[in-house]
Each structure stands twice: as structure tokens, then as C-alpha cells.
Amino acid sequence: MLYYQSDNMRRQWLVTLIVVGLMLSGCIGPEFQDLDEDGIEDSEDLDMDGDGWDNLVEIDCNSDPNNFDNVPNDLDNDTVCDELDEDIDGDNLPNDWESERGLDPRDSNDTLICHGFSEFCLRNYDNFTFPETHNAFATSEDGVILGTNHYTGLQAQWDGGIRAFMVDAHHLREDQTEAEDVRFCHGSPGQFPHPCAYSEVDAFEWLSHLNSLMNLTSQECLSKCGNVVSILVENYVPAEHLEFLFNETGILERAFIHQLGDSWPSIGDMILQKKDVVIYVQSEYNESFSYFHPAWKHSWDTPYGQQSKEEMTCELGRGDSNQPVWHLSNWLSSIFGTADPYKAHEVNQYEFLLNRTIECWEIMDNRPTFVAVDYWEDGEITNVTITLNKMDNWDDEIPTHQ
């Protein structure tokens, strides 16, 4: 009996040794393991539990790669887990950027929209291209008889996407030179007849309307939003009078002050700080009026007044070409020196204007901050700037024109 038990134990040990030997030799292995039953062995399966998340990603995202019901948190459903996602709520604003500005990076409704897109909030003021109207007030709609530059007034320009405006500030008459007498009129001082005799536009009403349009944009948004506006003034009135005008119309409190040599802020910060208007003046005032930036110290422009598109260049016209902010002058004059609607039709066309802008961007190695035109309605100035603002560099692939 003892002999039988001893012999049986020897056989069991022998079987065990054989099995171990076979396993070590690779002839047989453990049972085939396939947690998610997808036909791929777990040792080879990049997603063992079949939840759509790779095993290694789940480990990085602090979820269990062996548990189908335990998946990474992904608030915006962009397949990047919240632990690794630099934009958790998917509003195109980085988490840190939002947190630093009091926005909730986990709430897509608590966001900021600038010029229609959140991502534009991250752009610095000098790294964005604004459509600009030359002599914006001199329109048929505003009753300007001579020296008309556009058909439609401020409301249509705003609705069409114009966000930069050139205006001329004069006193109403030679004998009406108080602060209350400031008007937008097209012409030069000392000429006959007085510029306001044929092209007077109420500057107080015009700027008050602009202020209301900016406020209305903010009120209509479900989240925080806004636009940055720039005004270039050809100024023929004292600084105190221009200050009175901008103060009375609510614009002055929105005026951003840029220190020469400092970097320009982001568009988003300007909007959040409610300093969303930049005012330039062609004739410099003293330093106590710091919100009136001397245009040709803080920016520059290309030559204007040519009579054919072949004469247009990207060269320096006025100002300091070392400044990052600049105006691309894209209008032609008639033989009388006035705006020419027929020539405007030619140079405002999409292909010509886009190609010219990109060419100057390449030559100057700096995107134009403003593209200024006459008769903005004829052509596609706003579509051109939309295309440009989708590009980071002049040599990027040009987005499809919608």
C-alpha cells in the first residue's frame, strides 16, 4: 500500500515537471485572456477593456484600463482626458489663461469671444488685421455732398464688420470754435469753402452711436464678448476740444493707453479691462493727453493718393516703420484728388486685395494691422481680413474663400 502511494506521488511530480518544462519551452501557455472579447489577447490589446481609451492613456488619465465602466473624464468630448487637456471645456481658451482672468476653465459658457471667435482673444492687438474705412464719416447716407468716400454710414459699416475708422475733426465754422462746435468734415482747414460747408457730420452723434454699437454687442452675447475699435483722427482742433468730444460720447473711458516701446496687449485683455478703443491723432498733442496716441510715432502707413493700382507700394509713407502697428492704404484717387468709386471697385476685389496684403506682409515681415479702403461696400474688404486672420504667417496655406 505504501509502495503504491509513493509511486503515485512520483507520477504526479513527473507530470508537473513535464508541464512546467513545456511552459518554459513555450510549447503550451496559460489560458487565452481576452477581457473585452474582441479577439485580441489582452497582452497584445492596446485597449484591454474595450472602452475606447488606450491602456497607457487611461493610466496617464488616472482611470482603470481593466474596467470598462471606469473611463477618463473628458468634459468637452474631444478624446483628450481632462487631466491632460489644456482646454478642458473646449472653448478654445487655455485653462491657465482663463483661470488667470477669472473665467472658469470647466465651463464653456463662462468664456470670452473676441471679434466673433474665442481664439482671437489670444491675439495681440498688433497681430490682428482690422478692416478700416478711409474718411468713414464721409458718406452719401450721412448727407456729404462733396468728397464722398462711401455710400453707407456707420451702422452699415459696423454691421459689415468694419472695426477701424479714419475721421477728420474740424470746428464747424471760422467763428464757431468752441468744444461743442467740433464736427467731422472732409477737407483741409483754410480752404474755401470751409470743409464743414459741404461735408458736416455731427461728431457727437456719430461717436455716441459707435459707443452704443460696442455696448450692444456685449449685451447680446450669451457669454462675455466684444470688439476692439481703432480711430485715426486727422485733428484740426485743440486737444481739450477733442477730449471733450470723446468724453461726452462715452468713448474716452474706453480708451486704451499704449506706452511707446511696450508690447501691445492681447485683444482679450483689452476687452476684459474695458479698454477696447485705441485713438490715434495725426498731429501730436502734449503728453498730458496720453490717450491720443501720436499716429506716426506709434504706427506707420503706406503711401496713398495714387491714381492707378500699378503705383501702389508697400513702402513707408508716414511714421516709424519699426513699429508693429501699421496701415495698408488701399485706395486710389481721381484726377481731382477725390475718392473714385470706379477705381475702388478695382482695388477692393477679393483676389487683388488679398494678394496685395499678403505681398506687403511678406515684404515687411509683419502683418498689416489695418487695411484701409474707400467705398468699402464695393468689394470684399471684410472677407479679406477674415481670411488673413485665419493665417498665422504670410506663407501659410490660404484658407478657402467662402
Side-chain angles (χ1 to χ4, degrees):
M1 186 69 171
L2 289 174
Y3 174 80
Y4 172 78
Q5 290 177 340
S6 177
D7 187 57
N8 189 46
M9 290 179 64
R10 284 196 298 269
R11 285 198 299 269
Q12 289 179 350
W13 274 107
L14 181 59
V15 170
T16 300
L17 290 171
I18 293 172
V19 170
V20 170
L22 290 171
M23 291 178 65
L24 291 174
S25 68
C27 295
I28 65 172
E31 181 183 351
F32 183 82
Q33 305 246 342
D34 182 12
L35 181 63
D36 58 0
E37 299 181 348
D38 63 351
I40 302 174
E41 189 172 3
D42 289 345
S43 62
E44 304 291 334
D45 197 342
L46 299 179
D47 176 18
M48 289 191 297
D49 57 7
D51 61 2
W53 293 86
D54 284 358
N55 306 323
L56 295 178
V57 172
E58 289 208 64
I59 293 171
D60 289 338
C61 295
N62 299 320
S63 62
D64 187 352
N66 297 307
N67 187 344
F68 178 84
D69 295 319
N70 183 229
V71 297
N73 295 318
D74 182 17
L75 183 64
D76 57 358
N77 297 314
D78 65 349
T79 71
V80 179
C81 70
D82 294 346
E83 285 77 2
L84 304 178
D85 198 342
E86 295 182 356
D87 177 19
I88 293 175
D89 57 8
D91 62 357
N92 293 320
L93 297 175
N95 304 323
D96 291 344
W97 195 92
E98 291 197 73
S99 296
E100 290 167 0
R101 290 157 179 79
L103 301 171
D104 187 350
R106 292 182 172 272
D107 183 357
S108 60
N109 292 317
D110 188 23
T111 189
L112 179 65
I113 298 173
C114 305
H115 293 268
F117 298 91
S118 291
E119 52 266 38
F120 288 162
C121 300
L122 306 175
R123 292 273 193 91
N124 284 2
Y125 172 79
D126 58 328
N127 190 29
F128 193 77
T129 303
F130 301 86
E132 182 174 41
T133 42
H134 173 226
N135 292 325
F137 64 93
T139 75
S140 302
E141 187 176 319
D142 284 297
V144 173
I145 301 172
L146 298 175
T148 303
N149 290 80
H150 308 277
Y151 300 115
T152 55
L154 177 59
Q155 182 69 57
Q157 292 181 34
W158 182 269
D159 292 343
I162 303 298
R163 294 296 181 267
F165 308 91
M166 295 178 171
V167 297
D168 295 1
H170 293 261
H171 284 126
L172 183 57
R173 299 283 185 273
E174 297 293 344
D175 58 350
Q176 292 178 278
T177 57
E178 299 299 320
E180 295 84 355
D181 298 323
V182 176
R183 298 291 188 273
F184 289 155
C185 307
H186 188 189
S188 301
Q191 70 180 43
F192 181 82
H194 188 281
C196 294
Y198 57 84
S199 62
E200 175 198 346
V201 173
D202 189 322
F204 292 89
E205 181 179 315
W206 198 95
L207 287 174
S208 294
H209 188 192
L210 176 61
N211 189 44
S212 68
L213 289 171
M214 295 183 72
N215 289 334
L216 185 61
T217 297
S218 299
Q219 294 166 6
E220 290 178 338
C221 289
L222 297 177
S223 57
K224 298 179 182 67
C225 70
N227 298 268
V228 170
V229 164
S230 302
I231 305 171
L232 173 57
V233 186
E234 190 173 329
N235 50 318
Y236 299 109
V237 299
E240 293 82 2
H241 292 191
L242 201 64
E243 179 184 53
F244 178 78
L245 168 65
F246 279 98
N247 188 52
E248 287 293 302
T249 56
I251 296 292
L252 196 62
E253 66 184 23
R254 315 180 79 127
F256 174 79
I257 298 175
H258 177 245
Q259 299 298 327
L260 197 62
D262 286 354
S263 298
W264 287 90
S266 71
I267 290 173
D269 283 334
M270 295 175 74
I271 291 172
L272 287 172
Q273 295 165 12
K274 298 183 179 179
K275 296 298 180 182
D276 48 7
V277 176
V278 184
I279 305 169
Y280 302 91
V281 292
Q282 291 200 23
S283 298
E284 184 175 352
Y285 293 132
N286 68 55
E287 293 180 356
S288 62
F289 298 94
S290 54
Y291 29 77
F292 295 144
H293 302 90
W296 311 129
K297 285 186 175 180
H298 290 261
S299 66
W300 60 279
D301 70 354
T302 59
Y304 63 92
Q306 301 93 342
Q307 293 186 16
S308 70
K309 64 182 182 181
E310 289 75 22
E311 298 176 66
M312 288 179 155
T313 74
C314 308
E315 299 171 356
L316 172 67
R318 299 170 291 181
D320 178 3
S321 60
N322 292 315
Q323 296 302 316
V325 171
W326 63 286
H327 303 256
L328 179 65
S329 305
N330 195 77
W331 68 85
L332 296 173
S333 297
S334 69
I335 58 174
F336 304 105
T338 57
D340 189 320
Y342 301 103
K343 293 178 180 178
H345 172 81
E346 184 178 7
V347 297
N348 290 356
Q349 293 305 303
Y350 183 85
E351 292 297 334
F352 175 82
L353 183 51
L354 179 66
N355 290 335
R356 180 178 183 230
T357 305
I358 292 176
E359 178 187 12
C360 290
W361 186 352
E362 177 186 2
I363 291 172
M364 303 311 302
D365 193 27
N366 181 21
R367 83 160 56 238
T369 319
F370 309 100
V371 180
V373 299
D374 281 335
Y375 292 98
W376 76 276
E377 309 90 343
D378 196 347
E380 299 190 59
I381 173 58
T382 52
N383 282 335
V384 166
T385 55
I386 287 171
T387 296
L388 293 171
N389 286 323
K390 292 178 180 178
M391 301 169 63
D392 292 321
N393 297 292
W394 66 265
D395 56 353
D396 286 352
E397 182 178 352
I398 298 174
T400 302
H401 176 36
Q402 301 297 323

